[in-house]
Amino acid sequence: MSASGTDGSTTFFGDRRVALDDKQALVDSVFDRVADRYDLMNDLMSAGAHRLWKDAFVSWLAPPRRSATPYRVLDLAGGTGDIAQRILRRAPGAEVVVGDINAAMLEVGRERAAAAGLAITFTEADAQDLPFEDEHFDAVTIAFGLRNVPDIDRALTDIRRVLKPGGRFLCLEFSHVDVAVLDRAYDFLSFNVIPRLGGLVVGDEEPYRYLVESIRRFPNQARLAAMMETAGFERVTWRNLTGGIAAMHSAWTL
């Protein structure tokens, strides 16, 4: 199956090739259906480990508890606010903006932040064309969202644009298992168990099937690091979590 965007370009939506221009709407339809169950979705896909991974992610970011000037963080694709809340609990003086292209996800985040009494700004934002000025943020984070962006290279370039010199980009994403036996077990769980659990718990297997397929299509650790370097980032490194089921990538603007 082939399709083309207005410039003839295509990409993958899970295992299905679609026009690049069409992918965002398809991704939005997935998250519209699961916005209020997003954390449950990650629980199913990671057996609950995503909570520990997110803690490790914010620990690696190490936002300053005190700063002479406001420490500004943009958390992309963070609609439900779980990363933003972790950052603020570690660094109460930080200015945290959550940018997400999906309005339903942002609404969940606003409600949760209000309930927690945390001052977080929620903004509808496309990671490929960020509505922020150049060199505005000290850090940009994205957790389990980069693989859903239609044009990852374009997003990386714009993320670098909005970072200050000396700013840091951190990405947490499901990745490629590098431990024998674990890789086969994880494949079996991903393709045979997770979609069925999604069907039982939320009454819809399709979003979970897409998310599993999108993980397999996502660049492995080394390839994503190379893409970051091509976008102009420096000191690019990564750390595997749980044998590579997930990985954290760190990069700097120097």
Side-chain angles (χ1 to χ4, degrees):
M1 175 181 178
S2 64
S4 61
T6 55
D7 62 352
S9 56
T10 64
T11 187
F12 283 95
F13 175 73
D15 283 341
R16 178 158 57 103
R17 186 173 285 280
V18 299
L20 183 64
D21 296 342
D22 294 341
K23 180 172 179 177
Q24 190 60 63
L26 293 168
V27 171
D28 285 346
S29 72
V30 169
F31 286 94
D32 284 341
R33 286 145 71 184
V34 300
D36 60 343
R37 302 285 184 94
Y38 179 72
D39 288 335
L40 174 59
M41 177 170 63
N42 279 334
D43 279 331
L44 290 174
M45 296 182 70
S46 70
H50 76 99
R51 300 174 189 274
L52 298 176
W53 297 339
K54 289 172 180 173
D55 289 341
F57 183 62
V58 174
S59 292
W60 200 18
L61 175 65
R65 293 185 182 277
R66 295 180 179 83
S67 178
T69 57
Y71 182 76
R72 293 176 177 156
V73 184
L74 170 63
D75 182 45
L76 286 174
T80 61
D82 52 349
I83 295 296
Q85 289 197 29
R86 283 173 167 83
I87 292 171
L88 275 177
R89 290 192 174 106
R90 185 180 177 103
E95 293 182 3
V96 183
V97 176
V98 170
D100 200 303
I101 200 168
N102 187 278
M105 296 286 284
L106 288 168
E107 187 57 33
V108 171
R110 288 190 187 98
E111 292 174 359
R112 291 183 181 180
L118 294 173
I120 300 171
T121 301
F122 290 85
T123 302
E124 193 164 328
D126 182 348
Q128 303 166 119
D129 188 17
L130 295 170
F132 306 107
E133 63 188 29
D134 295 356
E135 301 181 0
H136 185 71
F137 294 99
D138 296 284
V140 176
T141 59
I142 185 167
F144 304 116
L146 191 59
R147 73 180 186 280
N148 298 313
V149 175
D151 191 332
I152 293 173
D153 292 316
R154 181 179 164 193
L156 291 173
T157 298
D158 215 41
I159 288 168
R160 187 180 183 281
R161 177 186 64 79
V162 302
L163 276 168
K164 297 177 182 178
R168 190 179 185 193
F169 173 50
L170 274 183
C171 172
L172 170 62
E173 189 55 86
F174 287 108
S175 198
H176 291 246
V177 178
D178 62 357
V179 176
V181 180
L182 178 60
D183 57 351
R184 292 192 295 275
Y186 183 57
D187 277 345
F188 178 82
L189 175 69
S190 297
F191 289 100
N192 296 283
V193 177
I194 289 174
R196 292 178 185 176
L197 281 175
L200 289 172
V201 175
V202 301
D204 194 349
E205 291 188 13
E206 186 179 348
Y208 294 86
R209 190 173 296 109
Y210 155 70
L211 289 163
V212 167
E213 291 170 354
S214 71
I215 292 168
R216 292 300 176 269
R217 290 283 178 184
F218 192 68
N220 65 19
Q221 292 89 326
R223 186 176 164 211
L224 181 58
M227 292 169 70
M228 290 180 176
E229 290 171 347
T230 298
F233 286 102
E234 299 182 56
R235 290 172 55 191
V236 179
T237 58
W238 74 83
R239 295 178 180 177
N240 281 342
L241 298 167
T242 317
I245 291 176
M248 303 184 293
H249 281 72
S250 171
W252 297 82
T253 56
L254 301 176

